Amino acid sequence: MAMTRTAGEAVAKVAYLSSHVILSIQPALAIDSEFSRHLQGYSDSHLPGLVAEKGPEIIPLRHNVDPLLSAFQPLRSGKLVAVTTSSSVLLSSIPHLYKLAQYPIVLHVSLQASPNPDYSTITAIRQSGFVFLQSETLQESQDLALTAHALAIKSGKGVLHFFDPANSRDDSPIQAEDRDLVRDVLDLDSARAIRVASSDRTWLYVDDGRRATIAADHSSVSEESQSEGIVTHDASSRALLEKNSSGGGSSVGSSVRESSADSRPTVSSATSIESSTIRAVTSDDVYEFVAAIWTKISRFTGRSYQAFEYTGPENAESALFIFGSTGMFVDELGAAKSSDEFVKCGLITARLYRPWNGPQLAESLPASVKRIAVLEQIRRKTTKWGPLLLDVLTSLRMGSSGSGSPLVVGHQLGYIEPATVHQALRGIFQNLNSDEPLQNLEVGSREGPREPPNQYSLAQPKVESAYMKILDQVFGERLYLANRLDAASVGLSATLAASPEYGFGSLLARGDHRSRFISEVKHAAATNDFATDVPRSWLSKWALNAEHDKLANTIAPEVISRLSHDGSRLASTLLESKSLFFKESQWLIGSDAWAYDLGNSGVHHVLASGANVNMLVIDSQPWSERAVADAARRKKDIGLYAMNFGNAYVASVAVYSSYTQVLEAMIEADRFNGPSVVLAYLPYNKEDDSPLTVLQETKKAVDLGYWPLYRWNPDNEENGEANFSLDSERIKQELEEFLRRDNHLTQLMNRHPTFAANLSESYGTEVRALQKRKAKDAYDSMLESLYGAPMTILFASDNGNAESMAKRLGNRGKARGLKTMVMAMDDYPLEDLPTEENVILITSTAGQGEFPQNGRTFWDAIKDTAELDLSQTRYAVFALGDSHYWPRKEDKHYYNKPGKDLDARIAFLGGQKLADVGLGDDQDPDSYQTGYAEWEPKLWQALGVDKVEGLPEEPPPITNEDIKIQSNFLRGTIAEGLADTSTGAISASDQQLTKFHGTYMQDDRDLRDERKAQGLEPAYAFMIRCRLNGGVASPSQWLQMDSISSSYGNETMKLTTRQTFQFHGVVKSKLKSAMRGINKALMTTIAACGDVNRNIMVSPLPTKSAFHRDVHHVSAKISDHLLPSTTAYHEIWLRDNDSDEKQTKVAGDAVIDKEPLYGPTYLPRKFKITIAVPPHNDTDVYAHDIGLIAIKDMDGKRLEGFNVLVGGGMGVTHNNKKTYPRTGSMLGYFQASQIHLVCEKIMLVQRDHGDRQNRKHARLKYTIDDMGVDIFRSKVEELLGAKFEDPRPFEFKSNIDTFGWQKDEFGMNHFLMFIENGRVEDTAEFPMKTGLREIAKVHKGDFRLTPNQHLCLSGVPDDDLDTIKEMLKKYKLDNLHFSALRLSSSACVAFPTCGLAMAESERYLPELITKLEGCLEENGLRQDSIVMRMTGCPNGCARPWLAEVAFVGKAYGAYNMYLGGGYHGQRLNKLYRSSIMEGDILAIMKPLLKRYALEKQDGERFGDFVIRIGMIKPTKEGKTFHEEVAEEESGGE
């Protein structure tokens, strides 16, 4: 059986078994309480309960949001409720406790703050009507927790079980409570019979008359009465109950005053028996129930309990009655020596504290006891005599006669160090045994030790910093937060200092101080006490504008400056308060805790005062059905509450919905002269939730109308403008319904009749003029004038396919006479759906069968509602997906899941199908168009418009070829787009054209969803790629690139797999400046991207400098020869707008330009050339359109010619077997002097014969496979006028870089350093970028970028060697102590900037390698090079298909795994596993690496090994890439 180790765990387990609902009250949602971690663990493991068979509903609540309000709704629904909490919430919840005491609720209270808890919290609420049980040990906490639940069920009353967790911290673990015992003690039949009648009256603070009752002739609560659940409120029943209850038993002594069954009139809350048989539960009933429960526990376990526990000698003459932590006293009394004063002392503790059973206390004491020391651990003492002392005195004097009563002496128990317990006991007994003992003697320290630093404290959740940052941005130095948590408030607790009452008071005081200061300034300006007259004029000017924020803050620095130079005593006095010269923007910051009645007083004070104070109230409660349904929580709508005053500015904002509206609201609030309330929505389930979670919750709340965005400005009325402005992007409810929420509109209308009249008059015009509703209504109005049936088309689309399809369908519908409207699902008001006649829904599939981003809110709403009646609505659904995306059979249901779910849900709501759900499949011959072509005619037939004649022909879609030919030699409208400051983007066609200029438009995908929810466009920026022939840059060029990255980019540089520089994060306004900066470095970006020949790659060759010069010279010759001739690049990026340069034009505006090689349409697709020098294939020569293998002359020193490979290429589309990677095919050998012409002719054949219809089939590799190598060779030779010679012999030995220092034949030094994944940046641990910049300032040679994304510092003379080495060491650039796996790895950029990325790559591969390096060490493979590559998509930028092991992104966090590539880059790998996560990767790689270490042959590479052992089949050519894979990506059917 499981062992229980803490009191919190024991209590949590019993509560879980015994409740329908548990309110888990926590310091913060991200901070566990004594109980919450255990409760969540039980819930996560689906532990069955006893009362709730599937386990209780666990509701986490913050301690400061009036949490006990949440108990009323489930209690009134007949559910058993438990509350787990610290004692911190009890005092603020007193108004609720009196009512909750009459319900079967259990409060488990952990006393705070340990190790010296304050029991005064318990004594302060002892008259609330609850039954109080106290436990001390671990075993007692478990048994009394069970007692509490059984008693609540039996009596129908509230039970509060309290304990000090520190008291049992050192107890040995115990066995968890037996389920059979719990079942028996709880009396589950009674528990299931509990029902509480519903009532329209749900008062929270007024007594609703409910009382726990029993049958007068029965010893237990009437099950019949409970099961019927009839509430009796009539006067006769009330009177009869009063009569019956007055004759019930009562407790003695102080219990007469403090019984949990008090003497107030009572009414049965659940009775079906004749009223004459019903009476209220009394103290005697509680005693009887408790005794029966403890008897059951004793019978089952042998453990017995009494209302008062006495331990000690039977002949004791003195005793301690402790109301506090007893642990240390028990240990000390047990170890007492014969010489100690307390050797024969007894110990008394109260197990049943309320109702107080005086007679049983007297009976529990031995008759020999003459003196009793009462120790009360109460820090907040409000009366002279402690409550327990009065209880004991009254009970003993009433229970025995005259002088026979023991002497009772009260003591105040504070904190006692364990080492001083013996001394404390001696002091207690010396006082007790003295002739005249002192009452209220303090024992120990009252305050006790300070709470440990990790104790719960007030702190602003990290996610809430968004609003704080906006305040800082808007108001800067003017901002003053009155109740900031980090402010120094001498003598005040952080809780009090952060309260609205304190903050408001401090602002009033600060305002008074400034008013006095203004008066002092005015007086000073009228005196002659300054050294000069200059300050007087400035002070007068300031005083006139002191209340005007802009003017006052503009003048203030001048005034301070004049006073500083004056030097007079008066000037010095004024300067002592110089901060008051500035007019501050004063704010109170609060949470939704201020929205509850128990925390609302500060808000009320501010509003009622009319003071010019701004309040920012951050509401963090996510929208949920439970929150909406639980009206009893009575969370105030502070906005409508404030509007009711009529003197306050009010705004409701959400930063993750509309950033602009937040700014407007804060600025308007600051300008408003009076109270301002800005309600800011920031929903989270836990304080450490991600921004993405907050964004999603915000979107749901705003779209469903739970959190409307609005502004209310009373000043607008004076200007003839509407006071109320609704800013939500889309109205979900009518304005009247929104304002009537919580019944505040009636009050508002009564107080402001003019507003009521204006509201009814302006609704039709003012509201419909707002945002998307206005657009929809106007569109509807326009459609009414047309003929034909209406058709509303709603789409959900991430990549644009579903949106394009929806718009095309809309156009086709219009052509057939239908009134069509097309919009995103999330932009559509769901409440309008039942009014639609025909609705067409088109959705693509995202993630794991999820809805696209702009359809998720729509789906979340429609799947959770049963109120929509769609019986009059006809509908059809078309879904887009990929049947092969999920290879595992268990994942097949994700295929087109959104569309299928939507179809089923609308049918469930009564919708009438126009056609069966259509399924578009990317695997079909024409992709999703195949299924669509079958589905659309069925739709027209169902709508009766299938036989319309004379339909216009649809224009063909614009292709890249159209864009190129219409671009006027790559000009397009790029210049106009750059000049457009209204957006950070450029047009779609220009995005294709700028690639030819070396730049891609991207957006920050980390921010995409957040900005979208804020109503902002994506964070657009541009990537710039340089054209750097052979990857060689001078030191001055390096410095210029470094400067560009810092001045215009994101302060990092990327060394790419194409051996060049790449910059990210360049915003549009800086794009031209960055381009010019590159040009100043004598570099360019033209043709770095696009359908042209791109940057030519060359092996770095650090040890063969002369040969490197030869090869580099040839590469430059090829690059220049194949460069585009258009002058558009110079015109757009380099020419000054005001220069006199003009192009010669004809026919008005046609620029004379030409492309002798490319022609106006350039190439069908990109074209890449690389040069490799055996034995190094570090450029992956087989992976490019043209691969040139350098052949040396007979002496082996200089370049002679090249073996020519053609048709290599890496781009693939997942699941599309028509696409594949390919290694180059050998054409033959050609001499070096003519190789530029060879490259030209190969490119021209591709230009003329490449596929320009299908870009996925447009690369040279497909042209060669379609044509055949021999035919292709013949066409090239025909253009050349010469034939290829037979290829010359060569051998490759590796395709990785050789790191460290090397010397060339001229004695120059070269250092090849490791730059992980090519990212050059500075971090706190590694100042790489700074180090390279400093080296570039002194280096005399070159920087050679490698194709594997590393950097070679070339040409270092011996004289400079020591200096360079010292600098490398200083900046940690000489560190090569990495595993060979890491040194052989490579990754593309992927997230967050690449728009094609499906998964992380550059940011994740280092982490994955780290998790594998331990395995490498264990198996002796740390120095074994294994080529591992990762890309975020299948386009192959890091050339993954040639790696020995590769991971290619399939979805976020999921990768396809490929094995078997050639170590020399000569062989493609093959799919091993599809869509695997990190856990799967590690589970495969670790055993495989171990096996490789044990079974590899001498010199055997990893890629060869996995083929030899049969793990994977070799890929012999690109066309067989998808054959004989280890796991079919399609998965079969």
Side-chain angles (χ1 to χ4, degrees), residues 1311-1379:
F1311 181 75
L1312 208 158
M1313 65 188 75
F1314 175 68
I1315 309 290
E1316 189 158 34
N1317 297 317
R1319 181 63 62 183
V1320 179
E1321 62 181 343
D1322 280 339
T1323 66
E1325 296 77 21
F1326 188 12
M1328 178 199 305
K1329 191 166 183 280
T1330 297
L1332 290 171
R1333 180 171 60 249
E1334 295 304 313
I1335 289 173
K1337 293 177 181 178
V1338 300
H1339 180 45
K1340 300 181 180 68
D1342 291 329
F1343 287 89
R1344 297 183 190 175
L1345 283 60
T1346 81
N1348 289 311
Q1349 301 176 287
H1350 306 301
L1351 181 64
C1352 184
L1353 195 65
S1354 296
V1356 180
D1358 288 342
D1359 292 345
D1360 296 340
L1361 191 59
D1362 290 341
T1363 300
I1364 296 297
K1365 285 185 175 181
E1366 186 64 29
M1367 296 183 74
L1368 289 170
K1369 181 179 180 181
K1370 177 181 178 181
Y1371 294 105
K1372 305 179 183 179
L1373 290 164
D1374 62 345
N1375 183 15
L1376 298 176
H1377 299 293
F1378 302 102
S1379 68

Side-chain angles (χ1 to χ4, degrees), residues 11 23 73 109 166 272 326 377 527 532 634 714 769 852 1223 1333 1406 1513:
V11 170
L23 306 182
Q73 193 268 340
V109 178
S272 64
T326 61
Q377 194 166 315
T527 67
T532 66
R634 288 288 296 276
T1223 52
R1333 180 171 60 249
K1513 298 286 186 180

Side-chain angles (χ1 to χ4, degrees), residues 115-116 328 377 413-418 420 443-449:
N116 184 37
M328 63 181 69
Q377 194 166 315
L413 179 61
Y415 175 72
I416 301 175
E417 291 284 351
T420 63
V443 181
S445 169
R446 176 175 295 187
E447 294 301 324

